[in-house]
Amino acid sequence: MEDIKDCCKWIMKIIVRVGLALVITKANSYTRDLYPAYKLFSEYFPEKENDMKKALEYAITPIIDVNQLLSFLNEFGTWMVSEAEKWLKSYNPNRELNMKL
């Protein structure tokens, strides 16, 4: 159960930080902290605020229900992958590994 909690926490932190990465160029702001990252993301994607809040909550208080985690990842994670693809097409269409900002 501890391994599940650790993985949950690790994955959800990544999701919150990826959410920030999706809006970093628009927000012109950066933070290492999860809550401000969640807030910035929610300003640009208010329709996904509840999902990102859940990711933040799971990062702080991880759950062990694998089915619940997989369901969340399959739904919100799939949406995030789609948004990341859009971001890459706009900001890094050549998929450069060391992109200059």
Side-chain angles (χ1 to χ4, degrees):
M1 286 203 286
E2 286 305 312
D3 287 343
I4 295 170
K5 282 183 179 179
D6 288 344
C7 286
C8 176
K9 183 183 280 190
W10 177 68
I11 291 167
M12 296 305 161
K13 284 181 178 182
I14 291 170
I15 287 177
V16 175
R17 290 184 174 125
V18 168
L20 174 63
L22 291 175
V23 302
I24 200 166
T25 54
K26 295 175 187 171
N28 199 25
S29 184
Y30 172 78
T31 180
R32 291 178 49 194
D33 299 323
L34 296 178
Y35 184 77
Y38 147 76
K39 291 302 281 182
L40 278 171
F41 171 86
S42 298
E43 287 178 27
Y44 292 89
F45 292 101
E47 72 281 5
K48 293 295 182 181
E49 179 178 6
N50 289 336
D51 290 321
M52 189 57 77
K53 186 174 185 180
K54 187 179 287 190
L56 176 65
E57 289 170 356
Y58 290 166
I60 296 167
T61 308
I63 62 171
I64 58 169
D65 185 336
V66 175
N67 291 327
Q68 190 174 346
L69 285 169
L70 289 175
S71 176
F72 178 75
L73 291 172
N74 284 329
E75 291 174 30
F76 190 48
T78 299
W79 178 86
M80 290 199 72
V81 167
S82 173
E83 288 301 310
E85 289 292 333
K86 291 177 194 175
W87 190 95
L88 284 168
K89 282 182 184 178
S90 294
Y91 295 100
N92 190 5
N94 297 326
R95 305 286 174 108
E96 295 176 36
L97 295 179
N98 296 310
M99 190 175 81
K100 294 179 182 176
L101 297 175

